[in-house]
Amino acid sequence: MEIASKYNPRAVEEKWYSFWLEKKLFHSEPDRRKPYTVVIPPPNVTGVLHMGHMLNNTIQDVLVRRARMMGKNACWVPGTDHASISTEAKVVKMLAERGINKRDLSRDEYMKYAWEWKEKYGGIILKQLRKLGASCDWDRTAFTMDDIRYESVIQVFVDLYNKGLIYRGARMVNWDPQALTAVSDEEVIYKESHGKLFYLRYFVEGEDKYIVVATTRPETIMGDTAVCVHPEDERYQWLKGKNVIVPGVGRVVPIIMDEYVDREFGTGALKITPAHDINDYNLGMKYNLNSIDIFNDNGTLNDNGGKYAGMDRFACRKAIMKDLEESGLVEKIEDYVNKVGHSERTDAVIEPKLSTQWFMKMSDIAKKALEVVEDGTIKFHPEKFKNTYRHWLENIKDWCISRQLWWGHRIPAWYFDVNGKMEIVVALNEEEAKKIAADKYGYTGELRQDEDVLDTWFSSWLWPISLFDGIRNPDNEEIKYYYPTDDLITAPDIIFFWVARMIMAGEEYRGEVPFKNVYFTGIVRDKLGRKMSKSLGNSPDPIELIEKYGADGVRMGMLLTAPAGNDLPFDESICEQGRNFANKIWNALRLVKGWAVSDELQQSPENEVSVQWMEQRMACVLEQIEKDFEQYRLSEALMNTYKLIWDDFCSWYLEMVKPAYGTPIDRETYLSTIAIFERLMCMLHPFMPFITEEIWHLLQDTDSEAKAELIAQSSIMIQHMPVSVFFDQRMLDDCAMAQDVVTGIRNLRNSRGLSPKEALELFVVCGDGKQMNSRFDGIIKKLANVSKINYVNEKVEGTISFMIGTTECFVPMSQNVDVEAERKKLEEELKYAEGFLASVMKKLGNEKFVNGAPEKVVAVERQKKADAEQKIAALKAQIANLK
RNA sequence: GGGAGUUUAGCUCAGCUGGUUCAGAGCACUUGCCUUACAAGCAAGGGGUCAUUGGUUCGAAUCCAAUAACUCCCACCA
């Protein structure tokens, strides 16, 4: 069979992904095996794959594929999030393209369009994940607004309301004037912005004196209802009990005194606008001040804005300042840098706004959620995120869960008036609401359902439960089997939004944590360390990367640079390493498959020992890899696998057993090699699923048709992951010694320009009990092209030498030796050895060390001394010999 | 303002409870090779006062303190 010299990922990847799907190898049903469950962090239904997803899902796939091969019933559930605000934006855009204005639509009509959009464009990202090789159980694909999830959300809302954990109230909320909805505290991003600090004059009522107040938001003076100073501020004692006139507005407002004011800031006087600032709101409550709302929902001024009514808030700021300056009411204007809240979803400047919203009480539920992380029931990787988590939960505020949108789970609350008073009924549906209204209030008329929907996170916090229908049917077989899930892989920026709340929901609805481990990935940055973003254009298109380097190559590139919790500076060139590795493996296959196999040939002792060594080596590295996985050190695990395959298997093992050109290999060695290769592919499969599947198939013995058919129907995915076994460290050490000899000879050839084709003779001085294990002689001969190895007691004349530890090796040279260069080299080595000895002697000469240090450490030092002395003697002799 | 973290080779990072895994890995780099699996390769090699300064100790990359630089999170003084 002719195999191309370059690995071509594209065809291979398509072929195997459809094969896996066709064979339903990703599908999971409860059975007797132990489950291993992962739920995908549901990407926005509007989303397209970006590098963050690539990283996150690659990690999940590695863990899932490994668990599957370890004999667990692995179930990775995919799905998407309805993402209310961003979907709303997409739908509005689609409508605009068709010349439709959202405002002209009824809620039902709008929802029809929204679903249409979702069916047509939503979830592209899930298709893209297939290109990456994600082994999700697609039969379980869910959506946060599909029937099961929708009903679960409503049920939870009703339940929490009945438990008194959800309430409705007027609060200061973060208002997004672009999306026209409230957003939670967590959805506000504070960004540094360069603005101005305006110093305005507030004249005292009936006097010609004024007080200067500094503000960054002069447009809100329309809503001023007081000016506040510190009660102990000497400068303002004279103002006690007086009123001042709001500049430009003419309203008379009181001076109040409160310790809240920072005397150092600005002039130490603060204007109070209770409707538009959270702190002012609190002061307003305390001093019973009027609250004048001057803004419309979209951020323009309302009728309270007087002549500025209808103007946008930022235009208004300019206009007011112009007017005030003309009236001589401006003291000065300074440049000022402060942090301004922006909406995470729309980037609009957030407006604090008083409005009636639904909230969820957090304090009790937060305590439980903190406990399970503190006591290690849930482990965070890396652990440092425990701190962040703790801090948030200890300072948690109630969660604003209502959003003024249509796309989402509509709040199941109905309103009606009884005797002129508005009553609220919360129920699973309108029918039940009517029943309650009738039973409880004797009301039988029409009900009005709340117009708002729930925060998107109010559905995703149930995800690990609702995916298995554990809210509606808490005792069903699936939830009992798959819950709690095992590992959650997510980015640290949603630790509050999502991770913390899922833990709360788990406690509340299952009395059990939703997952055992949380692996926080880093943030993918560009090589300059900047966050990847559309506006910078510094984010590579993952699909293009896959086409260029193969999915396996990209996966490897991502993983190599991604220790848990560290940001990864992503550079496309790292994918090259992955691609090159795939090619390397491919060529190893070409070599092995190119061998003629002989049944007559007996296995040589060299081949026998090579096979033994490789097996020991694998066992040793496997142990390391298992540790890496236990600690979620995936990049280490991959690196160890990489080195095992490239260095140990390709560079050493294959060279050891490779038959001379044109000659066959004995069957025993061949079969062992295939078996080793196969196991290596199993070890690598979680990282590079496609090429390993391809090679696994090509490696199989398919001499009979029946067997070939069997193999064709099978997959590496369902093979057993090799596990570590006891290994012989002595053998590994012995071989390492032989490898050092080979390297020594190669080095010698290299530095003296000797052709590798010219065979050399090797003398090894043994004695003093130190021996080289001659089991590896054959290998040395083969790999270093040595014709004969002589074990001698004496130094050999007319040779050049090198040392492996304390063992001296000599190679006779047919050509003239550059004595001067040789001497220089040896003398340098001698100098180093003497320096080394001196430092050891110093230690040993220190009585405190000899008495204080553990015996073992002192013994080691003594050994060092003996070795160094031996080496120095040998070097001196060699120098003397050079004449 | 509060908190957390980072600083080790040109780059990205390992380095656990102080001592032969102590100065490591991969990539990059240098030199020589188109050697019949692979130039997306082979062989060999050169790179580091472990951020700085003190302290503890027989002994510090490792423990402690201070300093500096960077990163992130939280709070949001108008």
Side-chain angles (χ1 to χ4, degrees), chain A residues 35 201 278 393 410 524 549 565 582 592 601 609 630 710 782 839:
Chain A
R201 293 169 178 165
I278 179 69
L393 284 174
R410 190 168 178 183
V524 185
Y549 300 101
V592 173
L601 217 53
V609 81
E630 267 166 40
L710 206 67
K782 183 168 181 181
S839 79

Side-chain angles (χ1 to χ4, degrees), chain A residues 247-281:
Chain A
V249 181
R251 183 185 305 128
V252 176
V253 300
I255 294 283
I256 58 171
M257 302 204 163
D258 193 280
E259 284 165 5
Y260 167 75
V261 177
D262 175 4
R263 278 172 280 183
E264 308 299 313
F265 189 89
T267 61
L270 169 66
K271 73 187 201 63
I272 306 295
T273 320
H276 299 294
D277 183 283
I278 179 69
N279 300 301
D280 292 11
Y281 172 75

